[in-house]
Amino acid sequence: MRTDTVYKKAFNRTATMLRDGQLAGELPSENELRRRMCVSRTTVRKVLRELVHRELITERDGLRATGRAVGDYDYYPDVETTSRAKHVEQQFMEWMLRGDTKPGTSINELELARQFGVATNGIREFLIRFSRFGLIEKRPNTGWLFKGFTEDFALELFEIRVMFELRSAQLFSRQPDSSPLWDKLAALKIAHIELLARIESRFHDFSGLDNRFHRLINEASPNRFIDDFYDIISFIFHYHYQWNKQDEEQRNHAAILEHLAYIDALESRDPERIERACRAHLASARATLMRSLIGLDE
Amino acid sequence: MRTDTVYKKAFNRTATMLRDGQLAGELPSENELRRRMCVSRTTVRKVLRELVHRELITERDGLRATGRAVGDYDYYPDVETTSRAKHVEQQFMEWMLRGDTKPGTSINELELARQFGVATNGIREFLIRFSRFGLIEKRPNTGWLFKGFTEDFALELFEIRVMFELRSAQLFSRQPDSSPLWDKLAALKIAHIELLARIESRFHDFSGLDNRFHRLINEASPNRFIDDFYDIISFIFHYHYQWNKQDEEQRNHAAILEHLAYIDALESRDPERIERACRAHLASARATLMRSLIGLDE
DNA sequence: AAGTTGTTTTTTATGGATAAAGTTCATGCT
DNA sequence: AGCATGAACTTTATCCATAAAAAACAACTT
């Protein structure tokens, strides 16, 4: 049966809005809520019905108003708010990156399905989606081959990344001074500086910043294939570093400094300086990844 | 139910081998056949059983020998030898590239499933696979968005292609003279010259040559992401030009000449000459594609 | 007429079943 | 022991069913 995770997530979000007073007094219309939550009205109505039922809101003459206070116990547990597909993704990435899955292993849909507690269909869909990341390969009628999260993979990935990023950085720097992206860059620079000041306690926030920065650079001259490639990078890094926390603070600290140099270079519009800063940053990111890959075998 | 296309294709291939005398006299063992046909022994046995049943081969004391002559009527029809997945691919590409599907159209899994006569699952799997080509996009819980086979698409595609091909061509030219790839290149050059001589009658053969050529260039320094990207190109071009035959002969004639210039440039090892030849060829390929795209709207 | 809510219809996400194809085990023969 | 065939078992490709979510339709209100 299809999961009702969309509903549960919407419910939790509404509960939080109620608790934080964002929905004080009379509630907005179903359509208004629908827009805010990015779900269908069908789902909004289901949420409202449950809220009424739990007396978290009251309904009189078709008018809805806030009811009793929201308690922690009102929330659905987090696991119930992510779809099966997302679960499969998480479990697979853990299986692949943390387990002792060796390159050359073949992947068995049925076995994974049993292990993850889902139907084979879901596994297969995930694998098809995941195959574009270059880590697995399909052999028809037979199964999937795990090619390994290896040094080769990292090298090939970074070779492309350097090509794309150099291209995008140069194009970014050649935008007219009037482009709003310069302002966004300036804002991002400030965010970097602020994070740097509190790096000891907030170093986890870097990955979000990193993402915003690299995506901003691509914005000046969009190319869907470059965007897609950046999706691969984000995805891989997200999961890899989720379980590889060694030196995280130091790593992020260094990266912030590199970003700042890179941003300055962009602002200078000097092509050679940009190339140097960009290469320096990517070389360092690559070295970091390689180091952690070697660490994996120990 | 799963289709028995693997069996039928294997049967047809075996029939052809019998007819062409490649299996004269006593037949090889099941294992030997299995290796030759790249299918499992289970399938080989099924083929053999049917061959015996039709008296195309005889079996005495466990020894198999050729039987009566193979007739045209013995073959399974071609449609029955391609999997559902492949059919979906073909029908979808036709729907997309030939129909009047406008950019921004949303794609409905259920509707396509009905139209193509398959289960929704197959459609979805195809769409997931196809989504990496940058022509469609998934909106969760909602459906797929067709972004259109537009000029933008072609421009973005070729921007990447130029980057990749320049990189690969330069790396190719820097291989040691002892590399076997130089011989392969020389052989390919001859094939080009031969095709050129008979261009009027054999211009269809160009696309195979084109593929071999571009893949060869990538072979010198493999990168899985570049290979994947070339898959996209091949796929798109295959289907696009399958239904766009205008000026095919002339187009291919020009491309052969460009390839020859490109090959000469590579053999010269002169970086600048290589860059010029490579760019010239790709610019021309792009112009051709753009022209045919405009033609589509008429 | 535009925005609400109630109702019905359509579509997606997910599980389940099964024939075909692949793989492994068993037996027998040189 | 090594290879051939036979049989049993496992996995993939494919269809079908259904609850959840989205979309479309309808009726009502101001």
Side-chain angles (χ1 to χ4, degrees), chain A residues 84-85 88 108-114 116-129 144, chain B residues 119-126 128-129:
Chain A
R84 280 285 182 314
V88 168
N108 185 302
E109 293 176 1
L110 198 57
E111 189 189 316
L112 285 183
R114 280 190 291 244
F116 297 172
V118 297
T120 52
N121 248 314
I123 299 288
R124 182 192 286 236
E125 281 177 18
F126 171 76
L127 292 174
I128 296 173
R129 240 175 295 128
W144 297 82
Chain B
T120 52
N121 248 313
I123 299 288
R124 182 193 286 238
E125 282 177 17
F126 171 77
I128 295 173
R129 242 174 294 129

Side-chain angles (χ1 to χ4, degrees), chain B residues 84-213:
Chain B
R84 280 283 184 313
K86 193 76 187 170
H87 275 134
V88 168
E89 173 186 309
Q90 291 166 344
Q91 294 188 270
F92 179 85
M93 291 308 282
E94 174 143 10
W95 174 85
M96 184 182 79
L97 293 174
R98 300 193 85 182
D100 53 355
T101 318
K102 290 273 174 287
T105 310
S106 63
I107 296 170
N108 185 302
E109 293 175 1
L110 198 57
E111 189 190 317
L112 286 183
R114 280 190 292 245
Q115 203 171 321
F116 298 173
V118 296
T120 52
N121 248 313
I123 299 288
R124 182 193 286 238
E125 282 177 17
F126 171 77
L127 292 174
I128 295 173
R129 242 174 294 129
F130 185 68
S131 66
R132 75 200 204 115
F133 289 30
L135 287 165
I136 61 174
E137 206 173 75
K138 184 164 175 53
R139 290 165 309 171
N141 300 316
T142 302
W144 297 83
L145 176 70
F146 175 54
K147 297 204 281 182
F149 190 53
T150 60
E151 265 184 56
D152 276 356
F153 175 80
L155 287 174
E156 292 171 27
L157 185 85
F158 268 93
E159 185 190 2
I160 307 300
R161 187 175 179 185
V162 169
M163 290 172 67
F164 284 173
E165 184 108 4
L166 284 176
R167 167 264 187 205
S168 294
Q170 297 296 354
L171 288 172
F172 188 100
S173 74
R174 283 187 232 135
Q175 295 178 101
D177 290 353
S178 58
S179 161
L181 294 182
W182 288 117
D183 289 338
K184 286 198 188 175
L185 186 67
L188 211 51
K189 183 175 176 176
I190 293 172
H192 274 82
I193 293 171
E194 279 173 357
L195 183 54
L196 194 59
R198 299 180 228 174
I199 186 70
E200 309 82 27
S201 61
R202 309 248 324 275
F203 59 88
H204 287 109
D205 299 2
F206 174 69
S207 87
L209 218 52
D210 185 59
N211 241 294
R212 275 170 59 202
F213 177 54

Side-chain angles (χ1 to χ4, degrees), chain A residues 1-3 29-31 41 45 64 83-85 118-119 121 125 141-142:
Chain A
M1 188 205 330
R2 184 176 180 166
T3 55
S29 78
E30 294 174 358
N31 264 315
R41 196 159 67 82
R45 302 188 94 225
R64 281 178 287 257
S83 67
R84 280 285 182 314
V118 297
N121 248 314
E125 281 177 18
N141 300 316
T142 301

Side-chain angles (χ1 to χ4, degrees), chain B residues 229-292:
Chain B
F229 186 75
Y230 202 75
D231 288 342
I232 298 182
I233 294 179
S234 309
F235 188 90
I236 297 280
F237 277 43
H238 170 73
Y239 279 107
H240 177 65
Y241 285 122
Q242 179 172 334
W243 296 306
N244 249 281
K245 299 284 189 195
Q246 53 177 38
D247 301 328
E248 191 182 9
E249 180 183 342
Q250 187 199 335
R251 201 168 71 212
N252 289 347
H253 183 251
I256 293 176
L257 294 178
E258 289 160 19
H259 274 191
L260 284 170
Y262 190 177
I263 293 174
D264 284 342
L266 286 169
E267 288 179 336
S268 80
R269 272 85 157 165
D270 173 355
E272 281 167 32
R273 193 170 153 199
I274 291 170
E275 173 158 355
R276 246 176 300 137
C278 174
R279 280 191 192 279
H281 174 49
L282 294 181
S284 148
R286 184 173 70 182
T288 306
L289 179 61
M290 297 297 245
R291 220 177 305 123
S292 73

Side-chain angles (χ1 to χ4, degrees), chain A residues 71-282:
Chain A
D72 284 347
Y73 53 87
D74 280 313
Y75 288 87
Y76 290 106
D78 272 355
V79 241
E80 293 176 23
T81 65
T82 40
S83 67
R84 280 285 182 314
K86 193 76 187 169
H87 275 135
V88 168
E89 174 187 308
Q90 291 165 344
Q91 294 188 270
F92 179 85
M93 292 306 283
E94 175 143 9
W95 175 84
M96 184 183 78
L97 293 174
R98 300 192 84 183
D100 52 355
T101 318
K102 291 271 172 288
T105 309
S106 65
I107 296 170
N108 185 302
E109 293 176 1
L110 198 57
E111 189 189 316
L112 285 183
R114 280 190 291 244
Q115 204 171 320
F116 297 172
V118 297
T120 52
N121 248 314
I123 299 288
R124 182 192 286 236
E125 281 177 18
F126 171 76
L127 292 174
I128 296 173
R129 240 175 295 128
F130 185 67
S131 66
R132 76 198 204 121
F133 289 30
L135 287 166
I136 62 175
E137 207 174 76
K138 185 164 174 54
R139 290 165 308 171
N141 300 316
T142 301
W144 297 82
L145 177 70
F146 174 54
K147 297 204 278 183
F149 189 53
T150 60
E151 264 184 55
D152 276 355
F153 175 79
L155 287 173
E156 292 171 28
L157 185 85
F158 268 94
E159 185 189 3
I160 307 301
R161 188 175 177 186
V162 168
M163 290 172 67
F164 284 174
E165 184 110 2
L166 284 175
R167 167 264 187 204
S168 294
Q170 297 296 353
L171 289 171
F172 188 100
S173 74
R174 283 187 230 134
Q175 295 177 101
D177 290 353
S178 59
S179 160
L181 295 183
W182 288 117
D183 290 338
K184 286 199 188 175
L185 187 66
L188 211 50
K189 184 176 177 177
I190 293 172
H192 273 83
I193 293 172
E194 279 173 356
L195 183 54
L196 194 59
R198 297 178 230 176
I199 185 71
E200 309 83 27
S201 60
R202 308 248 324 275
F203 60 88
H204 287 110
D205 299 2
F206 174 69
S207 87
L209 218 52
D210 185 59
N211 241 295
R212 275 170 60 203
F213 177 53
H214 291 287
R215 295 213 183 262
L216 175 63
I217 291 178
N218 286 326
E219 250 182 74
S221 37
N223 181 305
R224 71 190 75 191
F225 299 104
I226 294 182
D227 289 345
D228 281 359
F229 186 74
Y230 202 74
D231 288 342
I232 298 181
I233 294 178
S234 308
F235 189 89
I236 297 280
F237 277 42
H238 170 72
Y239 279 107
H240 177 65
Y241 285 122
Q242 180 172 333
W243 296 305
N244 249 280
K245 299 285 189 194
Q246 53 177 36
D247 302 326
E248 192 181 8
E249 181 185 341
Q250 187 199 333
R251 200 168 71 212
N252 289 347
H253 182 252
I256 293 177
L257 293 177
E258 289 160 20
H259 274 192
L260 284 170
Y262 190 177
I263 293 174
D264 284 342
L266 287 168
E267 287 178 337
S268 80
R269 274 84 158 166
D270 173 355
E272 282 168 31
R273 194 171 152 197
I274 292 170
E275 174 159 355
R276 245 175 301 136
C278 175
R279 280 191 191 279
H281 174 50
L282 294 180

